[in-house]
Amino acid sequence: MEDVAASLPLTGERTVPGVPKENYWYRRHEAAYAAITDVCRDAVVLEAGCGEGYGADLLASVARSVVALDYDQATITHVRRAYPRVRAIRGNLVQLPLANAGVDVVASLQTIEHLWDQEAFLAECARVLRPGGQLVVTTPNRITFSPGRVPLNPFHTRELSPAELAELLVAAGLRVDWLGGLHHGPRLDELDERHDGSLVRAQIVASIRDEWTPALLADVAAVRRDDFLITDEDVEASIDLVAIAVRR
């Protein structure tokens, strides 16, 4: 595969595989993709906001077909080269270039927090879903990720609490079937303790200062997707929200 970091420069807006300093974020996202494979099995899937494309490719291993959509042309060019079993198209997330009721599943992972018009995006997701089709959304939990309400990530326009996400989904005409959260598992809890209470904060500080200690880099590079847990218990304390909603 091509050098992803060279093809898609790291900006803080997307996560890419194969970069040691990005491995925590990559594995955190990968854990969510792995958790939704059963939802996508044998389905016609749209990934709305595909980023680098590794997630769309993972879903393509179980889906009938996957359309990967992103607004950035360089991203789409990369996805077409790197993941040939995925159909990659450029498009606006609030004006999806798909027919009404044309897909079984819309997957949108770590995307809605980047959008100015979240309501229009969810309405479009509902439009392209067949009746009974499922929308899977993941997004940072505002309560734990940016507790001051102003997003810490400059690429995020609005982050959501569990109740706020559920409210948006219902307003779009969807029924929320499941709302859970992604948490650190035991090994990551140990790494949090090792790095003054927060592995995430340690990475953010290291990135801002461009000062990565060998110990921090080694711990980040060793993170695996099974170090994360997804459950509907203690959702308020989760680090990412995971929702499954159904078009009525």
Side-chain angles (χ1 to χ4, degrees):
M1 183 183 295
E2 65 185 287
D3 184 342
V4 177
S7 174
L8 296 175
L10 296 176
T11 64
E13 189 173 17
R14 71 170 68 87
T15 297
V16 302
V19 180
K21 292 179 182 179
E22 281 284 294
N23 186 58
Y24 168 86
W25 303 102
Y26 168 61
R27 298 301 180 186
R28 179 165 155 177
H29 295 177
E30 186 186 37
Y33 280 107
I36 68 169
T37 53
D38 282 346
V39 174
C40 298
R41 192 171 303 279
D42 299 323
V44 176
V45 178
L46 165 68
E47 185 179 9
C50 66
E52 191 274 339
Y54 60 84
D57 187 61
L58 189 155
L59 299 180
S61 67
V62 298
R64 191 185 320 163
S65 63
V66 175
V67 173
L69 184 142
D70 203 278
Y71 189 72
D72 181 64
Q73 184 59 57
T75 295
I76 291 303
T77 299
H78 164 78
V79 175
R80 287 172 179 163
R81 286 199 302 256
Y83 304 110
R85 63 182 173 179
V86 171
R87 179 186 170 210
I89 61 175
R90 181 177 181 270
N92 191 327
L93 290 171
V94 298
Q95 294 179 318
L96 295 173
L98 279 80
N100 294 349
V103 300
D104 302 310
V105 176
V106 176
S108 184
L109 281 67
Q110 307 302 105
T111 297
I112 193 171
E113 66 275 7
H114 294 270
L115 304 179
W116 289 104
D117 196 341
Q118 296 173 342
E119 292 83 358
F121 167 63
L122 293 176
E124 278 291 274
C125 291
R127 178 184 67 79
V128 302
L129 280 169
R130 63 168 176 77
Q134 296 176 290
L135 168 65
V136 183
V137 176
T138 75
T139 189
N141 180 5
R142 174 180 61 76
I143 297 172
T144 57
F145 198 72
S146 297
R149 294 192 72 92
V150 177
L152 295 175
N153 187 320
F155 293 103
H156 293 180
T157 62
R158 178 192 176 197
E159 293 169 3
L160 302 166
S161 70
E164 290 163 343
L165 176 58
E167 182 180 354
L168 282 175
L169 292 168
V170 170
L174 300 161
R175 182 185 75 240
V176 180
D177 265 14
W178 193 83
L179 180 59
L182 180 144
H183 301 256
H184 282 181
R187 206 171 74 87
L188 286 173
D189 286 340
E190 293 176 6
L191 292 181
D192 280 333
E193 293 182 10
R194 188 182 305 173
H195 294 280
D196 297 322
S198 175
L199 179 63
V200 169
R201 184 172 60 245
Q203 293 176 82
I204 292 172
V205 171
S207 296
I208 291 172
R209 296 177 178 174
D210 196 22
E211 295 176 356
W212 286 75
T213 66
L216 175 60
L217 186 56
D219 284 343
V220 168
V223 173
R224 305 182 301 266
R225 78 182 186 191
D226 58 4
D227 289 327
F228 298 91
L229 305 175
I230 295 178
T231 175
D232 58 4
E233 297 180 2
D234 203 11
V235 177
E236 298 280 322
S238 66
I239 51 179
D240 289 329
L241 304 175
V242 183
I244 300 175
V246 177
R247 181 185 169 187
R248 299 177 186 276

